[in-house]
Amino acid sequence: RKSKKPSLLVVNKADNTQREEETAEFYKFGLGEPVPISALSGRNTGDLLDRIVEGLGNKLKKKPKEKKVDFDEAIDEEAIDIKPKKLTKNKSIKVAIIGRPNVGKSSLFNALLDQNRAIVSDIPGTTRDIISTVFKYKEENIEFIDTAGLRRRGKIGKTTPATKKEGRIERYSAMRSLKSIDEADICLILVDAMEGIVAQDLHLAGFVKDSYKGIIIIINKVDEAENVNPETYLNVLKRKFDFLPFASAIFLSAKTGKNVKKVFDILLEIKKAREVEIPTPKLNKFLEKITIKNPPAGLKNKKPKMKYITQTGINPPSFTIFTSYANLIHFSYERYIENQLRKEFDFNGTSIRIVFRSKQGDKSGNR
């Protein structure tokens, strides 16, 4: 009230009609009509959204239409008519610790911070909520996020009637974990050295890659896996995670602290790679060189011709390539360009995004 800012009084956990009626007592705060909702079930959240929109009033503005590009003119100019997204570097590195239940995520979280912030137990599913802490290392702020273990999609929330509430909590925890991955810059994917690499580890890694994150594969519990040969295990790791050739890997023990501190330097290296900015002229010389060496294939009378490349963002590094017949670019050729980008520039440990665009009026579309 003292700030004189517009406000809404939102009363959560109003899961049924009776609880909605009980929210009347909140009128005593003098903040107007309370809005009863249930964040867990989504009850009345639509009404809340309507109240928010109503309160914003004229502050809501339509997004300006995207400026059309004169493709033919753009490729002849020193600088293209499309301005890259603002290349702003993050103030802190967001790092999500993810993996299956009971692979040691909370133990690693505590070991990295050198304090007991998260509850550690041998019982799978101990972590239910998201815990995050900012840690300073070499003048860089690193926000570590401990997430709930993610089981296979078909198993999430599948419980007996006696534990139906547990099932709902698990589904909610899984949603929070996936949201943390989406908001993170780098993900630490934990693998249990004792159990080896299973299908769910690969599924999670694929999800992280498709989200264009930095990736470190952590092989945890090496102190308990005395018979594991690191060199042999690394070969298996490379074979099974063959879709992540750029990912860093480290063997450690969250329990004893072995190699835990090495994670910090790898994180800073990946952050640096995700913030690399390449001048457009340098990129176009690179594109010309690799397309002469290996031009893209196409159909009989329709062969894509690479015209122009520009960097459109960092964190993750993002590139737009202007070409004819963008829809005919095969995924293998996209992989070729990505591999050449990694070879030419420093993108170790991070995914990169490549978008192909056709010129204005070309019916072949974008990719």
Side-chain angles (χ1 to χ4, degrees):
R1 286 197 299 268
K2 287 181 180 179
S3 68
K4 296 181 181 179
K5 299 283 185 181
S7 61
L8 282 175
L9 177 60
V10 182
V11 183
N12 193 23
K13 301 186 180 180
D15 301 298
N16 51 50
T17 306
Q18 183 182 346
R19 288 195 173 183
E20 276 190 31
E21 293 172 355
E22 292 171 355
T23 60
E25 66 178 294
F26 291 96
Y27 274 102
K28 63 186 178 184
F29 287 142
L31 294 173
E33 182 184 358
V35 183
I37 69 161
S38 171
L40 185 62
S41 66
R43 184 184 178 94
N44 292 340
T45 51
D47 295 340
L48 173 61
L49 185 59
D50 290 340
R51 292 284 298 276
I52 293 171
V53 172
E54 182 184 338
L56 287 171
N58 294 329
K59 291 184 179 180
L60 287 175
K61 294 181 180 178
K62 292 183 178 179
K63 291 184 179 179
K65 291 184 178 179
E66 185 180 353
K67 186 178 179 182
K68 291 185 177 180
V69 182
D70 187 337
F71 179 83
D72 294 318
E73 181 182 334
I75 61 174
D76 293 329
E77 296 296 329
E78 180 70 20
I80 197 161
D81 197 22
I82 284 187
K83 299 294 181 186
K85 294 175 185 176
K86 196 173 182 181
L87 304 182
T88 53
K89 298 181 179 180
N90 289 351
K91 293 182 180 178
S92 64
I93 315 168
K94 285 192 174 183
V95 182
I97 305 172
I98 68 168
R100 294 179 290 116
N102 207 30
V103 292
K105 297 181 296 299
S106 295
S107 296
L108 178 61
F109 181 80
N110 290 336
L112 288 165
L113 300 175
D114 202 19
Q115 55 181 288
N116 294 326
R117 277 292 316 275
I119 301 171
V120 178
S121 170
D122 290 331
I123 302 170
T126 301
T127 303
R128 292 298 195 185
D129 206 355
I130 305 299
I131 303 172
S132 66
T133 297
V134 177
F135 188 91
K136 195 158 191 175
Y137 179 75
K138 292 184 178 179
E139 303 305 314
E140 291 281 358
N141 290 324
I142 305 174
E143 182 181 354
F144 288 106
I145 306 165
D146 182 24
T147 65
L150 290 165
R151 297 196 296 166
R152 284 202 330 247
R153 185 181 298 177
K155 287 190 173 183
I156 294 175
K158 300 293 183 183
T159 56
T160 60
T163 55
K164 191 175 180 181
K165 184 179 179 182
E166 288 292 313
R168 290 201 302 268
I169 293 172
E170 184 183 14
R171 283 197 297 273
Y172 178 68
S173 299
M175 288 169 60
R176 292 286 302 276
S177 295
L178 293 174
K179 185 180 178 184
S180 296
I181 294 173
D182 186 55
E183 293 175 350
D185 302 308
I186 303 170
C187 290
L188 307 184
I189 303 174
L190 263 70
V191 174
D192 191 325
M194 294 285 289
E195 295 181 8
I197 301 161
V198 300
Q200 180 64 356
D201 297 325
L202 302 176
H203 176 73
L204 283 172
F207 180 81
V208 173
K209 179 180 181 291
D210 292 342
S211 300
Y212 299 103
K213 306 299 178 182
I215 299 173
I216 303 177
I217 300 172
I218 306 283
I219 301 92
N220 191 25
K221 303 185 182 181
V222 293
D223 57 307
E224 299 176 19
E226 297 177 357
N227 297 327
V228 172
N229 183 308
E231 189 175 339
T232 304
Y233 201 102
L234 197 59
N235 289 332
V236 174
L237 196 76
K238 287 180 179 178
R239 189 175 70 251
K240 292 200 172 185
F241 287 97
D242 58 352
F243 56 96
L244 296 175
F246 58 85
S248 303
I250 183 170
F251 291 83
L252 59 76
S253 169
K255 187 176 180 181
T256 65
K258 181 181 179 180
N259 291 339
V260 167
K261 299 305 177 186
K262 290 182 179 180
V263 173
F264 290 100
D265 289 320
I266 298 174
L267 286 172
L268 296 189
E269 287 174 11
I270 295 175
K271 178 183 184 289
K272 184 179 177 182
R274 286 177 68 80
E275 294 179 347
V276 166
E277 297 179 40
I278 308 167
T280 300
K282 191 174 182 179
L283 277 173
N284 281 287
K285 285 180 182 178
F286 157 80
L287 183 66
E288 183 182 10
K289 180 178 72 174
I290 66 167
T291 51
I292 289 174
K293 182 180 178 181
N294 181 21
L299 300 178
K300 275 188 177 181
N301 300 318
K302 294 181 180 180
K303 290 193 176 181
K305 184 179 179 183
M306 303 290 166
K307 302 288 184 73
Y308 199 93
I309 182 173
T310 185
Q311 185 171 3
T312 49
I314 60 172
N315 198 29
S318 303
F319 303 91
T320 298
I321 298 176
F322 295 87
T323 176
S324 57
Y325 304 111
N327 63 326
L328 296 182
I329 302 294
H330 196 264
F331 72 87
S332 60
Y333 197 77
E334 180 181 351
R335 190 167 56 216
Y336 164 72
I337 294 176
E338 180 180 340
N339 291 339
Q340 295 302 311
L341 274 168
R342 293 186 184 283
K343 189 176 177 182
E344 187 81 12
F345 308 103
D346 184 14
F347 291 120
N348 186 44
T350 181
S351 303
I352 60 178
R353 179 187 284 131
I354 301 173
V355 176
F356 295 91
R357 291 188 62 176
S358 291
K359 64 181 180 180
Q360 187 179 343
D362 188 340
K363 295 181 181 179
S364 64
N366 302 326
R367 182 179 178 282

